[in-house]
Every structure is written in C-alpha cells, then in structure tokens.
Amino acid sequence: MTERQLHLNAFLMGVGHHEAAWRHPRTDPKALDDVAHFQNLAQIAERGTFDSVFLADGVQIWGDVRHTAAGRFEPLTLLTALSQVTDHIGLIATASTGFSEPYNLARLFSSLDHISGGRAGWNIVTTAQDRSAQNFNREKNTEHGERYQRADEFLDVVTALWDSWEDDALIVDQDSGVFADETKVHEIGHKGRFFSVRGPLNAVRSPQGHPLLVQAGSSEDGKAFAARWAEAVFTAQQTHEEAVAFYRDLKGRVVAAGRSTDSLKVLPGIVPVLGGTEREAAALADELTSLIIPERAVRQLTDMIGVDLTGHPLDAPLPELPPVTDINGAKSRFELVRDLAVRERLTLRQLLGRLGGGRGHQVVAGTPEQIADHIELWFRSGAADGFNVMAPLLPSGLEEFVDHVVPLLRARGLFRTEYTGRTLRDHYGLARPVSRYAVG
Amino acid sequence: MTERQLHLNAFLMGVGHHEAAWRHPRTDPKALDDVAHFQNLAQIAERGTFDSVFLADGVQIWGDVRHTAAGRFEPLTLLTALSQVTDHIGLIATASTGFSEPYNLARLFSSLDHISGGRAGWNIVTTAQDRSAQNFNREKNTEHGERYQRADEFLDVVTALWDSWEDDALIVDQDSGVFADETKVHEIGHKGRFFSVRGPLNAVRSPQGHPLLVQAGSSEDGKAFAARWAEAVFTAQQTHEEAVAFYRDLKGRVVAAGRSTDSLKVLPGIVPVLGGTEREAAALADELTSLIIPERAVRQLTDMIGVDLTGHPLDAPLPELPPVTDINGAKSRFELVRDLAVRERLTLRQLLGRLGGGRGHQVVAGTPEQIADHIELWFRSGAADGFNVMAPLLPSGLEEFVDHVVPLLRARGLFRTEYTGRTLRDHYGLARPVSRYAVG
C-alpha cells in the first residue's frame, strides 16, 4: 500500500458537536454522565479503523451555563478509560501550555502512552481567554505572541523529558541488582525564560518515544509553532480555496523548517450532517438550527472570537469588528468568523446558525456519497491529508459515518480496511523519534 | 453491623514494597511495565474486600537510578485503568500541593471520581525535596511551615471548586433547552496569599461530593493539617506505644477542630512478611535483606531524611544528626529513623536492613495468625482504625494476605465479608459532604 492514504480523526464531544445536540430526540443527555457512552464512541470509531479519537478541553466554564451541556470528565483520565476497551485507535487529548507545568504534563502523556501501548497524542493549546487566566491567579491572560513563546519553551522541556531515559537504559538484571544504565538516564538541565527543569522524568521512555504532537492554532504564531512542532494539525476551513491556501502555506513552512512535507498531516474539521437523501440531510440541518438558543449562542460566539456581541440585534448584520491585531484571543477563529459573515452578508442570527454545527468548522449536509465526494475532492486536490470528523449527534452521527461513508472511502482505495500498525504514529505514518541523548 | 470495623488499604508499589523486591525470584520485573499486573493487584484487593488501593507518587527521580526499579505510570491515569476492572474498591492517588495548580488537581480528582462512580481519594502531600523543586523552576524548596500554609489554602480552593456546582444544579430539560439552574453554579471568587481562583469548576459535582482526603505527614504542621482536612491518615509507627500516642494526639486534635472522632481514620503502615511457620517468615525476611544493595539504600535514606549519609561507614553507628528544627524535609520520618537507630543501637548497615522492607513502616514477620493478632491488638487497643498493608512482594504478598490473613480477621468479626456501600466514603464510614453553597 504505497498510495497516499486518508487519515480520519473522530472528534468526540458529549452527545454531539451541534451546540443543541443534547436537545435533539436522537440523543440521550444521560450519556454525558456515562463512561460507557464514550467507550462506545471509541469502539465505533475503531470499527471504522479511524486513526484516532480526540477530546477537546479547557480550563474554565464555557458560554452560558443555563443552556450549555455541562461536562464531567477530564480528557487524560477519560482517554485512559477508553484505552481499556480498545486495541488500536489513537487517543488525543487537549492540554494547555499556559496553565500547567511541563514536568506534570510530560508525565501524564507519558503515562497514557504507556497504559495504551503507544496510542497517546497531545493537542497543544496555549489558551486565549482571560476567563481561563482568572482560574490561575491572573486577571488577564498574557499576550498572544508571549503565549506562543512560552509554548515553544514548554515543548523544548517536555520533549527533552520524554527523551531523558534512552530506550535501552533498562538492564533489569536480578542477579547483579542493576536495574538501569545510569549513563543512559539524563538530567535535562533546562534553564530558560519561562522554565528551569532539572530532570530526568520519573518515568522510562514511552512506547512512541514522544506522544503524537497535535496543534490547532492557525494564526501566524500558530502556524510558525505548528511548522516546528506539530505532526497533525486540526484546522477550521470554510471554503476549498482557503483550505488549499492554508495547506500549501503550512506545508511550505514545514519544509522551510527542515522537515519532510509528510511529517505533518493537515486535518480540516468537517461536520457531516448525513441523510439517506439530500432532503433528509437538509431537514436534519434545519431541525438542529431550530434548537439553537440565540442567547446561548451569542455568549459562545463572544467567548470564541473575543469580541462582546451580547445585546447586538439578532437580525442585523454584525457590527464593525476591531482589527485582528487588537484581538488577543484565538486570532484565526476571529478571522474565519469575520470573513464568513462578510462573504455571505449574514445577520447575527444567520451567523449563529452557521456556527451552531461546528463552531466555525465546515458543515456539509448530504448523502453518504456526497460526503465521500467532498472528502475525496479535498484529499486529492491538496486541501487536506484527512479530516477531523465532528458528528453533529453522538453516537448516531458517528455510527452513520462509519457504516455508510467509511465503506465508500474504502471502496475508492482512499482509506484503510484494517489497522496495519500498533501505535498512533503508525496510523498517521509518522516516525518514532530517537531520543536526542542517544544521538552520537 | 454497629460494631467498630477495621479498614484495610492495599498500598500498591511496583512488584513489592521491599526495596529489592524486583530482585526476588518470586517477582517478575516485567510486571512493572504491565497495566494488567496492577489491575490484578486491584482485583486481589477487591476479592479481599479492602477499602481501597493506594498509589504513591513524587515529582522527581528517587534514590540511585542504577539500582532502583523505575516506574512508568502516573497514579491518576493508572487508577483510571484500575477503575475499569473493579466495581467497589476505592482508588487513592498521591498528588502534591507544592507543584500543581488547584484548578487542575480539582479537575483530575473530580474526573476520577466521576469515572469510578465515587471511588476517588487524594493523598495530599506538600513535597519536601529540593530535587523536586528543581523540576519546577526553583533551586530550593520552600520552608516546611510555608509548604503547609500553601497546602491549607490549596485545600480551601479545591474543596470550594468541588462544591461550585450544587448537587441539584442540573435540570436537563430538552424541551425548554435549560440544562442547568445557573443560580446553583457558583464562582468561588477566591483571593488568597497563594492563589486567586474565580471558578466555578468546569465539571459538575462528583459522586462523593469531595473525593476522600488522605494525608500522611506526622510533623506538628502535618498533624495540624490532618486535623483540619484529613479523613484518613497513613502513618509510619515503629512501636505500639508510639502508635497509641500518635492516635490519641491526632484524635484529640480532630475533636478540638470541631470534628467527630470517627471522621478521621488512622491507618499505620504494616509490611507483613508472611510464612506458613515463623521460621519460613524469618527466612523470607533474611532473604529480602540479603538482596539490599547498601549503596542504593544509603541514597534512599539520604533522600528520605534529608541528611547526607553517603560515604558513612556501614558498620559504624549513625553520626550525630542535626536537630529536627534544622530539617526542612519530612520531619516526622527523620525523627522516626533517628529514634529507631538510637533505641536499638543500630549500625548504618543494620538500619538499612530495618528500613529496606518499608522505608520506616513497621515490618512484621510471622504466620497469618501472628499478623492477625498484631492487627487485632493494635485495632482494639487504640493504636489504629485499620492498616495500610504494604506487601513486600507483589502480587504474592498481597495474595497471601487476602487468602490467609483476611479470613482470620473476618472470622474474628473485625472485617467486612462483603461490601455494603458503593463509594470509597461508604467503605470508610464517612459522610458525603454537602456543598458549602447549598447551606442556608
């Protein structure tokens, strides 16, 4: 199998990605409290030979408490529970470089990688919101560029800690009592602007060497960071044209950074609203939009783009927005929302409907054939290496995708019919990093 | 069952608590890499109707890398894996107030409590070592009293976050789209010396309300902290007399703090070296001692008491030790070691042998009857509410305890024959806390 293959990640979110998913008769809000629900989702995705599942996260309350489905589970612990009922699928969790210590995060991801036999991935976020900073001793968050500088140094430290035990450091000779070759266990001696970390990590090197590094920021700083560190990028792209431009830009930066073009996989988000016919799919999309509560959606949009839109008339166009240079939040998401509203001349209410399905990710309503066509087009035309699949309703939307779209992708030779590797890196076709201390 | 009942915790550590356990023919060092080994231990303990299992932790490399069995797993993730193969047993993890943020730790323990259906416990440590601080941007650790002041405020924040969603905050009405009653979701607005945390937590209240709070420090600061916060205390006591004095002291402090005497359970550590006969037990103890590598043991002792003993002649008595007021490490462990060496006039080598089994915890070698007698005596005479069982070899030592000691304790009416509750709090006979925000 030398032909280029598609990669699929199942982005798991409660009972669905649509913001009103929990209100739809096809979901059961009780599932939000049930580990078995999430285990079932991972097993469905594994049945579909997805590369990975992904759990997003934050360190604050989001949106409007009254109307938002509240969570219970923290991703690293929940993924550990999912690892116990699956054998192959990768397990990716968001964690923030802004509000953790590198030693602690290195340890948690190493542990998940050990427990899962090499299936851990880390979606690296810097966390934009002041509201998050207020849970960590600060009134305001730090500035966008500064957050990425901290993230860069954070990654230097974490990857050094993951390397601090060489792969062959263990000897384990019961007779002599020698457990490890101490010359292959390294202090990292990091002293930088943000962190001083002596090391080594108190855990031996994990199956993947480094858990997979995933990233999602698409600002200038975010793309520069991705070019250095990311091995998979989740991105929100509303049009094919923008997606191609983003893909080219990012791959160019990866090559400029001295990496191979294949060492980073680009996965735009897609919200597949599936129906047996186009009409059924459109009806489901309308039904979901009708369940949106505008007051809640405005709060979420305000959190997302960092501009307060509460109180703005729903049926008027958006107000004049500040220049992106004034935005200290998620800059790329701000631009995406602004461009969408301007391009399609949307009122606030219309914009909320467009964003309700995937918070800025592309919503594609149609039959399984139409969804497969869309995926194939983007994959073959340099817009994507794969997709971040965000089912609007869970588990039903993921089941339909696995049962009706995946077989089409397989029949077209685009997607694996069975797993050929054991680790998350294997699935994405990415090399296992050699410890920096083992070189030379 | 109104009679006072014994509590048993299984302290899990690699392939055994004896420092040379991995060298003994009855263990398999490969098990250190195997989640199934730890799951088996939890299932053995659950077959023995233990209250809980416990995983210790630190944030640095311990002792002598060459001769020390190295770990892989972080406790919260590993306990999550254990939760998936057990139904009743409690799951307690160490985490440090010194090197984490309260929002992150509150979230992790809440998540484990949700995933396990109310079985999470947190062994609160402040972390003494400079070597740990050096992994977190500091050359030296902060002073003993200061560490406990931070721990106190840390607990104020964490428990407030756990309370921030009242139990009846969720409404989940699909028709109206109301998910939660926002008047029952609270910002905590904490502004203190160490932390400023707005809240609420981004997770609904967990099954136990508060995961069980466990503590192990026995210094003055440690006991004062325990009296305020702890619901179970793991403690190292070498003699019955000292154990009774500690028990009385701590229970007195608990009552003085306005709590009921039963609201805190005292569990001394016991390393049961079991044999079918006294002679077999003694032979196993000798065999284990013979596997100790003095160079490694001296490094561990140095780390443990915070006094450098490397290079001291093995067959001489200990050197003059500094006064405890000069010790910034684990003060109570320093005093225990000093008193043991003085009381029994031990050479350094002899001391290492005495500490090798349980790092200062009491080692009791004997038949199942003798171990059960010891437990019963301490339990009935005001020295203990239960025991922290530290098998020298794993799984064999825990299996023997469950198969041969537990039946004796049950036959004597001291210990449950089956679980009567569902949560860790149920097992320890501790009330579920009401949210502070629900009062009044």
Side-chain angles (χ1 to χ4, degrees):
Chain A
M1 194 173 72
T2 53
E3 211 185 338
R4 178 168 165 261
Q5 288 280 300
L6 185 73
H7 301 285
L8 293 178
N9 173 73
F11 186 169
L12 309 183
M13 179 163 288
V15 292
H17 277 275
H18 194 278
E19 64 165 78
W22 71 274
R23 297 185 64 195
H24 193 277
R26 226 180 282 171
T27 66
D28 177 6
K30 286 196 193 68
L32 292 166
D33 195 20
D34 190 358
V35 176
H37 164 69
F38 293 91
Q39 291 180 321
N40 179 43
L41 297 179
Q43 289 174 324
I44 293 167
E46 188 166 77
R47 177 159 62 76
T49 59
F50 273 54
D51 296 66
S52 47
V53 296
F54 163 53
L55 294 170
D57 200 41
V59 286
Q60 65 167 85
I61 286 287
W62 288 95
D64 169 359
V65 170
R66 184 167 179 82
H67 299 296
T68 303
R72 283 139 180 96
F73 304 119
E74 177 284 331
L76 281 148
T77 42
L78 184 55
L79 288 178
T80 302
L82 306 192
S83 77
Q84 298 304 295
V85 299
T86 54
D87 293 318
H88 289 90
I89 199 159
L91 307 162
I92 301 173
T94 291
S96 174
T97 56
F99 303 109
S100 300
E101 287 285 340
Y103 201 89
N104 293 335
L105 268 198
R107 186 86 187 296
L108 281 164
F109 280 99
S110 169
S111 188
L112 178 61
D113 205 43
H114 279 295
I115 290 173
S116 65
R119 298 190 278 142
W122 172 22
N123 179 42
I124 306 155
V125 300
T126 66
T127 307
Q129 292 74 17
D130 291 336
R131 182 71 194 251
S132 293
Q134 288 157 14
N135 291 327
F136 295 87
N137 314 321
R138 293 208 294 272
E139 276 305 305
K140 303 281 286 177
N141 212 323
T142 47
E143 178 272 321
H144 193 270
E146 174 103 352
R147 292 202 306 274
Y148 274 98
Q149 286 168 35
R150 178 180 159 110
D152 247 337
E153 192 182 326
F154 199 108
L155 267 286
D156 280 335
V157 175
V158 165
T159 55
L161 288 169
W162 285 336
D163 285 345
S164 61
W165 288 71
E166 294 182 43
D167 289 315
D168 58 352
L170 297 189
I171 293 172
V172 194
D173 180 348
Q174 289 184 303
D175 287 343
S176 67
V178 175
F179 195 89
D181 177 350
E182 72 277 19
T183 69
K184 296 187 173 179
V185 184
H186 304 272
E187 297 191 11
I188 69 166
H190 177 91
K191 289 199 187 298
R193 180 173 156 221
F194 297 92
F195 305 109
S196 296
V197 179
R198 180 173 171 185
L201 192 64
N202 56 349
V204 306
R205 203 153 190 264
S206 76
Q208 293 189 106
H210 300 176
L212 190 75
L213 298 178
V214 183
Q215 197 261 0
S218 301
S219 65
E220 276 301 302
D221 291 326
K223 284 188 283 196
F225 181 85
R228 276 194 296 281
W229 294 108
E231 300 173 292
V233 166
F234 296 149
T235 180
Q237 301 294 334
Q238 283 285 334
T239 70
H240 181 261
E241 186 187 350
E242 287 166 354
V244 169
F246 177 80
Y247 186 96
R248 282 198 194 141
D249 179 17
L250 198 53
K251 293 279 183 163
R253 290 169 189 254
V254 167
V255 172
R259 300 170 58 192
S260 84
T261 185
D262 288 338
S263 68
L264 180 152
K265 310 296 180 188
V266 178
L267 287 82
I270 182 171
V271 181
V273 182
L274 279 158
T277 62
E278 267 185 73
R279 198 166 162 166
E280 275 178 32
L284 175 58
D286 288 345
E287 194 183 4
L288 287 166
T289 299
S290 74
L291 294 173
I292 293 175
I293 293 174
E295 152 191 343
R296 179 206 175 280
V298 170
R299 285 276 297 266
Q300 173 163 294
L301 179 57
T302 293
D303 283 352
M304 187 162 77
I305 67 173
V307 177
D308 190 353
L309 294 170
T310 52
H312 186 77
L314 287 169
D315 295 306
L318 286 201
E320 185 79 16
L321 294 176
V324 67
T325 47
D326 288 3
I327 298 295
N328 194 31
K331 285 180 191 285
S332 54
R333 197 55 60 94
F334 168 84
E335 291 181 303
L336 180 148
V337 168
R338 181 198 61 200
D339 294 350
L340 173 66
V342 170
R343 185 172 63 240
E344 307 193 12
R345 299 167 184 273
L346 302 175
T347 65
L348 178 56
R349 190 191 301 277
Q350 289 167 329
L351 179 65
L352 299 177
R354 290 295 300 275
L355 296 174
R359 303 176 306 286
H361 289 275
Q362 194 181 35
V363 179
V364 184
T367 65
E369 282 283 351
Q370 288 173 321
I371 303 286
D373 288 348
H374 177 97
I375 288 174
E376 180 167 5
L377 172 69
W378 282 45
F379 176 65
R380 292 204 190 274
S381 60
D385 294 314
F387 284 86
N388 187 19
V389 178
M390 303 166 62
L393 301 175
L394 289 167
S396 61
L398 184 61
E399 273 178 328
E400 288 160 10
F401 190 94
V402 164
D403 290 336
H404 301 295
V405 180
V406 167
L408 297 174
L409 299 172
R410 287 175 175 160
R412 298 180 190 187
L414 297 172
F415 192 56
R416 70 175 70 84
T417 54
E418 56 185 27
Y419 290 103
T420 54
R422 287 291 307 181
T423 70
L424 176 53
R425 289 184 171 278
D426 291 341
H427 306 333
Y428 279 104
L430 295 163
R432 182 178 188 276
V434 174
S435 167
R436 68 196 66 189
Y437 299 106
V439 179
Chain B
M1 196 175 71
T2 53
E3 211 184 338
R4 179 170 164 258
Q5 288 280 300
L6 184 71
H7 300 284
L8 293 178
N9 173 72
F11 186 169
L12 308 184
M13 179 163 290
V15 293
H17 276 275
H18 194 278
E19 64 165 76
W22 72 273
R23 298 186 64 196
H24 194 277
R26 227 179 282 171
T27 66
D28 177 5
K30 286 196 194 69
L32 292 165
D33 196 19
D34 191 358
V35 176
H37 164 70
F38 293 92
Q39 291 180 320
N40 180 42
L41 297 179
Q43 289 173 323
I44 293 167
E46 188 165 78
R47 176 159 63 76
T49 58
F50 274 55
D51 297 67
S52 47
V53 297
F54 164 53
L55 294 171
D57 199 41
V59 286
Q60 65 167 87
I61 286 287
W62 288 96
D64 169 359
V65 170
R66 186 167 177 81
H67 299 295
T68 302
R72 283 144 180 90
F73 305 119
E74 177 283 331
L76 280 149
T77 41
L78 184 55
L79 288 179
T80 303
L82 305 192
S83 76
Q84 299 304 296
V85 299
T86 53
D87 293 317
H88 289 90
I89 199 161
L91 306 162
I92 301 172
T94 291
S96 174
T97 56
F99 302 109
S100 300
E101 288 285 339
Y103 201 89
N104 293 335
L105 268 198
R107 186 87 189 294
L108 282 164
F109 279 99
S110 169
S111 187
L112 179 61
D113 206 43
H114 278 295
I115 290 172
S116 64
R119 298 191 278 142
W122 172 23
N123 179 42
I124 306 155
V125 301
T126 66
T127 307
Q129 292 76 16
D130 291 336
R131 184 71 194 251
S132 293
Q134 288 157 15
N135 291 327
F136 296 87
N137 314 322
R138 293 209 294 270
E139 276 306 305
K140 306 279 288 177
N141 212 323
T142 48
E143 179 272 320
H144 193 270
E146 174 101 352
R147 292 202 305 274
Y148 274 98
Q149 286 167 33
R150 178 180 159 108
D152 247 337
E153 192 181 326
F154 201 110
L155 267 286
D156 280 334
V157 176
V158 166
T159 55
L161 288 169
W162 285 335
D163 286 344
S164 61
W165 289 71
E166 295 183 42
D167 290 314
D168 57 353
L170 296 189
I171 293 173
V172 194
D173 180 347
Q174 289 184 303
D175 287 341
S176 67
V178 175
F179 196 88
D181 177 350
E182 72 276 21
T183 68
K184 297 187 173 180
V185 184
H186 304 272
E187 297 192 13
I188 70 167
H190 178 90
K191 290 199 186 298
R193 182 173 154 220
F194 297 91
F195 306 108
S196 296
V197 180
R198 180 172 172 185
L201 192 64
N202 54 351
V204 305
R205 204 155 189 261
S206 76
Q208 293 189 104
H210 300 177
L212 190 75
L213 298 178
V214 183
Q215 197 264 359
S218 301
S219 65
E220 277 299 304
D221 290 328
K223 285 189 284 196
F225 181 85
R228 275 194 296 280
W229 294 108
E231 301 173 291
V233 166
F234 297 149
T235 180
Q237 301 293 335
Q238 283 286 332
T239 69
H240 181 262
E241 186 186 350
E242 287 166 353
V244 169
F246 177 81
Y247 186 97
R248 281 197 194 140
D249 180 16
L250 198 53
K251 293 280 185 164
R253 290 171 191 252
V254 167
V255 172
R259 301 170 56 192
S260 84
T261 186
D262 288 339
S263 68
L264 180 151
K265 312 294 181 187
V266 178
L267 287 82
I270 183 171
V271 181
V273 181
L274 279 159
T277 63
E278 266 185 73
R279 199 164 163 171
E280 276 177 30
L284 176 58
D286 288 346
E287 196 183 1
L288 287 166
T289 299
S290 74
L291 295 174
I292 293 175
I293 293 174
E295 153 191 341
R296 179 205 175 281
V298 169
R299 284 275 299 266
Q300 173 163 296
L301 180 56
T302 293
D303 282 351
M304 186 162 78
I305 67 174
V307 177
D308 190 353
L309 294 170
T310 53
H312 187 75
L314 287 169
D315 295 307
L318 286 201
E320 184 80 15
L321 294 176
V324 68
T325 45
D326 289 3
I327 299 296
N328 193 32
K331 286 181 190 283
S332 54
R333 198 55 61 91
F334 168 85
E335 290 182 304
L336 180 149
V337 168
R338 181 197 61 199
D339 294 351
L340 172 67
V342 169
R343 185 172 63 239
E344 307 192 12
R345 299 167 183 276
L346 302 176
T347 65
L348 178 55
R349 190 191 300 277
Q350 290 168 327
L351 179 63
L352 299 178
R354 290 295 300 276
L355 296 174
R359 302 175 308 283
H361 288 274
Q362 194 181 36
V363 179
V364 183
T367 64
E369 282 282 350
Q370 289 172 321
I371 303 286
D373 289 349
H374 178 97
I375 288 173
E376 180 167 5
L377 172 69
W378 283 43
F379 177 64
R380 291 201 190 277
S381 60
D385 294 314
F387 283 86
N388 186 19
V389 178
M390 303 165 63
L393 301 175
L394 289 166
S396 61
L398 184 60
E399 274 178 327
E400 289 160 11
F401 191 94
V402 164
D403 291 336
H404 302 296
V405 180
V406 166
L408 299 174
L409 299 172
R410 287 174 174 161
R412 297 177 190 188
L414 297 172
F415 192 56
R416 68 175 71 85
T417 54
E418 56 185 27
Y419 291 103
T420 53
R422 286 292 307 181
T423 71
L424 177 53
R425 290 185 170 276
D426 290 341
H427 306 334
Y428 279 104
L430 295 163
R432 182 178 188 276
V434 174
S435 167
R436 69 197 64 190
Y437 299 105
V439 179

